[in-house]
Every structure is written in structure tokens, then in C-alpha cells.
Amino acid sequence: MDDHAVPDALSITDLYARVDRAVRTTFPDEIWITGEIRSIKVNANGHCFIDMVDPANSQASGAPQLSVKCWANRWRTVRSTLDRLGITLEAGMVVRARGEVEFYKVRGSVDFKLSELDTDALMGKVAAERARLIQALVDENLFDRQRRLRVAALPLRVGLVASPGTEGYNDFLGGLQGSGLAFAVTVAPTTVQGKDAPAMVAAALRDLQAEPIDVIVVVRGGGSKADLAAFDQEPVARAIATSDIPVWTGIGHTGDQSVADEVANRAFITPTECGQELARAALDYWRSVESVGASLARIARDRVHQADKALATHQRATFTGARIQLDRHADSLVHRAKSLRTLGRGQVDTHAERLAISGAATTRTALAAVRRNKDALTARADRLGNLPAQRLELEELRTGQRRRLLGAYDYQRQLERGYSVTRGADGAVLRSVGGLAPGSVLATQLADGKVTSTVTEPPTSQNTSSTHTIDSDDTTEGTH
């Protein structure tokens, strides 16, 4: 130093050394601080850097800011605890942190080396936010709205909100494929974790509202509570609660219960169980339809058998009545013939002398009258003799007509003759190709089983559209 130098001037090194000693003297041990997160970043090496400000003046431009750092080895422990509790640190959150105050000489700044976060306080905030959301949905009559919706009896058209190719996505589809039914799945792909997940899941749910589907399924495989945090967020909960289509959820593992689960129509502990339950519901309905069909077939057979017995009884009664009528008319004819012969002989004897006197002309007149009466009697006898045969022929014709009428109503016989019955996806019998489009699912009943098919070309009234059977089993007892 020259003669003009100030004797008490400090070098930068000395100044920073004194500041460092002052910081260490003032903060010899770790301390707790409270601050609002302004930004958070984890670099490629796993180190976490957080900028924090005072909550009271976080929006002020000149608010003091503290740089908080947490080295990778310590951040792994802190992050693991946060994930286990389902907490995700985000800008705007107010946290209590414990750590060491350090003076960083290279930049001449005071930093804070984080070692621990007050997770109890954070859990209280998460729980409070969850309770607030649930109460808001209850107040708006949305909390149990989904449970008031009725799921279709045969829910084969499924809208799937999931991340394609993930474990949860594959587990759900595996549950459906095991049923052997032709489910039509419309996938609305989305991210299921991270800060963008709530908005994307909600958008996928809204997109599916315009699709012709029976039930929407939201699935996500297991993970930490932080991985599943998107399903506790308000956008997802409201999108499910306000959906006009029933929503089922299969999120996480056993014990995981999100707000999305609580507002859904039905919630399952895993995607696999969700898929299996959906398949079971469809199979139960299909088996009930088969049971009703079998019962109707038995009733039809019984009715035909009873009609056959009634016809046989009626036929026997007709034959017996005809014989009785024939015998009665024959006896009457014999009696009348005897009476006429007796009467004729009496008249001849009584008027013999008179007729002899009357001469040959009168005799011819009498004989002619006798011949006329005899011819009339013969004609009447012939008519009465033909009456039973005509009556029997008429009754046999009526019996045949009744038998053919009953046979026309026999459902199984119509199928055995080569006819079939085709129904659409809604179960209604198809009488025209109008309204069919590629992708339409058809169920055809044949004499020995059922066939499920899908329209692959636009049908026309002149040309029957080709179909391709999907996952069908063409056996008598098949369920396709």
C-alpha cells in the first residue's frame, strides 16, 4: 500500500470472510423458514433449485427473494417423501423448510441449503383443498350425479380415457378380451400424470360426450400419490361429475381413492378389475337373453303339442258325430220307405175296385204317381247318403288349415327351413339395409346358433353388404 492508502480498507476477500463469519455466528445451526415458491427446477444432475419470496408481498416487484438449493442425494429423500404423500411442489405453494444459511462467496449471495420440508403442513393444505373441492361438488348437487345415471344393460360401446400402451391401458383391454364379446372401444388418448394431465384428461372426457358409447372408462396403473395427483384435481372431478354418459374408473392400486373415484358412477381398485366387471355385466345380460329365448322355445313347443292334441280330439269327435248322423239318417230313410210302401198298398187295396172301374187311364195315372214318388225318395236317399262324406271332407280341410297355421308360428321351424333373424346392436330386428353403415355390429340367429358380424362396406338395397365376423365363435352354444 502506498502512503495515501486508507489503513482500515478491506479487500473483497476480507469483506466476504467477515460476512461469512457473521452468517455462521448468527445462524450456527439449521433453521426453519416460511416462503412462497416462485419457481422450482430440478436439473439433469438431480439437484433441485427453488426461488422463494415472502407470501405477504409475493407480487411486489422489489420483494426479497431467497435462493434455495437441495443437492441430489438429499433431494431424492425429500422427493420420495413427497411422492408417498401425494404432494407435488408447484409455484404459488407456501411451504415451511428447514436448512442451513450459507454465504456463497463466488456470487456474494446468501443461499439456503434445504434439508427437510414440513410435510405435515403441506398435507393439511392438500387435505383442505380436497375437502373444499368435495364440498363444492356436494353444494352444486354434482357429487353423486354420476351414481344416478343408469348404465346400458349391454354396454358393448366403451369410451376409454387412458395413455395408450401403458400397463393400465393393457390391463383394462385384457379384461375385456377374456370375455369373448365384440366390444367396440373408442380411445381418447391422454397424459395421466404431470401438470398437464388434469386439463388433458378433462378434455378427453368432454370429447367422448359426442360419441355413441354406453360407458366411459378412465384407467391409470399404479404409482405414487404424486403420480396419481391429477385425479384429485378439480378439472378432472368436474368433467366426470358433469358427464352425461356413466363414467367408471380404475385408477391405481388397492387403497388408492381419488376424488375422481368418489364422483364416478362406479370405481374399481385396478384397471384389470374394471375391465373384468364390464365384461361380466355384458355376459350376464347376454346369458339372460339366451335364457329367455330358451324359455320361449319351450313354451312354443308346449303350445304346438297342446294344439296337436286338441286337433286329434276334435278329429275323433268329428268322425264319431258323422257316423252317428249317418246311422240316424239311414234309420229314418228305412222307416219312411216302409211307411210309404204300406200306405201305397193300403190305397191300392182300398181303391182297387174304383181303379178297376176307372179304367186303364186311371191305372196308368196311379202308376205314374207311384213312380214319381219313388224317384223322389230315391233322390233324397242319394243326397242323404253323400252328406256324411261331404261333412268329413270339410272337417279334414279345416283341420289341415289349422295345422298349417300353427306350423307357420313355429319359430324354430322357420329357422330350420333356412330362414334367419338379424338384429342390430340395439337388439331390434333388421328389416332393411337402410341406416346401416360400416362398423355396424349385427347379430344373426340361425337354426343351430348365433353369429356376430360387422358391416365393412356401405350396404345398398340391390346388393347385400359383406360382413366380417370379429371375435365370433360359430357354435350352437356360442355367445357371439
Side-chain angles (χ1 to χ4, degrees), residues 13 28 46 83 89 135-137 168 170 253 306 319 337 376 405 427:
T13 302
D83 289 347
L89 295 182
Q135 187 58 51
L137 295 174
N170 294 329
H253 295 307
Q306 293 172 3
F319 288 149
L405 178 60

Side-chain angles (χ1 to χ4, degrees), residues 304-350:
V304 172
H305 181 65
Q306 293 172 3
D308 286 341
K309 291 175 63 178
L311 285 173
T313 301
H314 184 68
Q315 188 177 32
R316 287 194 297 270
T318 301
F319 288 149
T320 302
R323 283 195 298 269
I324 293 173
Q325 290 287 338
L326 181 60
D327 292 341
R328 185 164 60 249
H329 286 296
D331 292 342
S332 176
L333 289 172
V334 171
H335 177 71
R336 293 184 67 180
K338 289 180 179 179
S339 299
L340 288 173
R341 283 194 298 270
T342 301
L343 178 61
R345 282 194 300 268
Q347 289 178 345
V348 170
D349 292 341
T350 302

Side-chain angles (χ1 to χ4, degrees), residues 432-434 458-465:
S432 169
V433 297
T460 65
S461 58
Q462 288 80 20
N463 181 28
T464 304
S465 60

Side-chain angles (χ1 to χ4, degrees), residues 286-298:
W286 182 253
R287 287 166 183 155
S288 69
V289 171
E290 287 186 324
S291 177
V292 171
S295 298
L296 291 175
R298 287 193 298 271

Side-chain angles (χ1 to χ4, degrees), residues 69-87:
K69 58 188 177 185
C70 186
W71 304 130
N73 57 349
R74 185 58 188 167
W75 176 246
R76 283 193 294 270
T77 302
V78 174
R79 176 63 182 272
S80 177
T81 301
L82 293 173
D83 289 347
R84 179 172 51 83
L85 297 175
I87 300 172

Side-chain angles (χ1 to χ4, degrees), residues 147-206:
R147 288 188 285 275
R148 297 194 295 268
L149 299 180
R150 183 177 179 181
V151 180
L154 187 60
L156 293 178
R157 300 174 301 176
V158 182
L160 178 58
V161 178
S163 179
T166 60
E167 183 178 353
Y169 174 89
N170 294 329
D171 288 347
F172 173 76
L173 292 181
L176 296 184
Q177 292 168 357
S179 69
L181 297 177
F183 283 95
V185 180
T186 301
V187 179
T190 180
T191 298
V192 292
Q193 73 179 68
K195 67 177 183 178
D196 296 330
M200 293 184 66
V201 171
L205 284 162
R206 288 191 295 270

